């Protein structure tokens, strides 16, 4: 009975992770397929893209920011309150380079802590027409909270990424390597 309970708890956490990440990957595919160079080159198009990204942020509280970087170096952010360095060139960023190096595939970064101290993963994908890449910051806080369940009497769930960076653990700081 104890093993069944533990298995059920682990299955629940897996289902939460699977659903949240899969839904976000579907969203990335949608944006990458539907944002084109024509939409990111003129002021009217840029405004339309920004409004769509801002609306997406309002509907998805686990996403801290969503953005499009163009092959010309322009950055369109869903969150206009995010600091916008005029010298920022998305083409120089890892998320952009990784997306452009693997067209058709979504790049998912190792777990990191952003400048606000929030544990996140970055997801990015090249736009289908090759004119840039879109990316987003996925907030792992809610996922960590949902995973903080007991397994049996003294057990707990630890979630790590493929590089063994901790996402959720009651004993290891998020973003630290699990030894």
């Amino acid at each position: 009975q104890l093993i069944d309970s533990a298995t059920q708890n682990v299955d629940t956490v897996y289902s939460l992770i699977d659903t949240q990440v899969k839904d976000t990957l579907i969203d990335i595919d949608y944006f990458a397929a539907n944002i084109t160079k024509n939409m990111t080159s003129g002021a009217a198009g840029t405004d339309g893209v920004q409004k769509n990204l801002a609306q997406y942020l309002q509907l998805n509280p686990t996403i801290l920011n969503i953005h499009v970087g163009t092959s010309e170096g322009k950055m369109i952010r869903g969150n206009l309150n995010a600091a916008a360095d005029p010298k920022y060139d998305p083409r120089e960023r890892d998320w952009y380079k990784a997306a452009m190096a693997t067209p058709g595939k979504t790049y998912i970064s190792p777990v990191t802590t952003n400048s606000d101290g929030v544990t996140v993963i970055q997801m990015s994908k090249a736009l289908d027409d090759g004119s840039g890449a879109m990316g987003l910051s996925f907030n792992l806080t809610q996922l960590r909270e949902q995973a903080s369940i007991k397994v049996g009497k003294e057990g707990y769930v630890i979630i790590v990424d493929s590089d063994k960076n901790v996402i959720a653990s009651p004993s290891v700081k998020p973003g630290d390597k699990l030894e």
Side-chain angles (χ1 to χ4, degrees), residues 19-35:
T19 299
Q20 288 182 2
V21 172
K22 276 187 180 176
D23 287 349
T24 304
L25 291 173
I26 290 168
D27 296 343
I28 287 174
D29 287 344
Y30 172 80
F31 282 113
N34 289 287
I35 295 174

Side-chain angles (χ1 to χ4, degrees), residues 158-175:
I158 295 177
I159 303 172
V160 297
D161 67 12
S162 60
D163 294 330
K164 295 187 181 179
N165 295 308
V166 172
I167 296 171
S169 168
S171 60
V172 181
K173 184 178 152 194

Side-chain angles (χ1 to χ4, degrees), residues 95-106:
W95 66 267
Y96 184 93
K97 291 176 185 177
M100 296 304 284
T102 56
K105 296 185 182 199
T106 301

Side-chain angles (χ1 to χ4, degrees), residues 133-165:
M134 64 88 43
L136 56 79
S137 297
F138 186 96
N139 184 344
L140 297 171
T141 303
Q142 182 180 5
L143 187 62
R144 285 195 346 261
E145 290 168 358
Q146 292 171 335
S148 63
I149 59 176
K150 281 196 166 200
V151 178
K153 288 185 179 182
E154 297 180 21
Y156 50 87
V157 173
I158 295 177
I159 303 172
V160 297
D161 67 12
S162 60
D163 294 330
K164 295 187 181 179
N165 295 308

Side-chain angles (χ1 to χ4, degrees), residues 75-96:
M75 185 72 165
I76 305 166
R77 291 178 171 83
N79 181 356
L80 292 177
N81 295 324
D85 179 355
K87 296 177 186 171
Y88 184 91
D89 187 340
R91 298 170 297 183
E92 297 173 1
R93 301 299 180 163
D94 290 342
W95 66 267
Y96 184 93

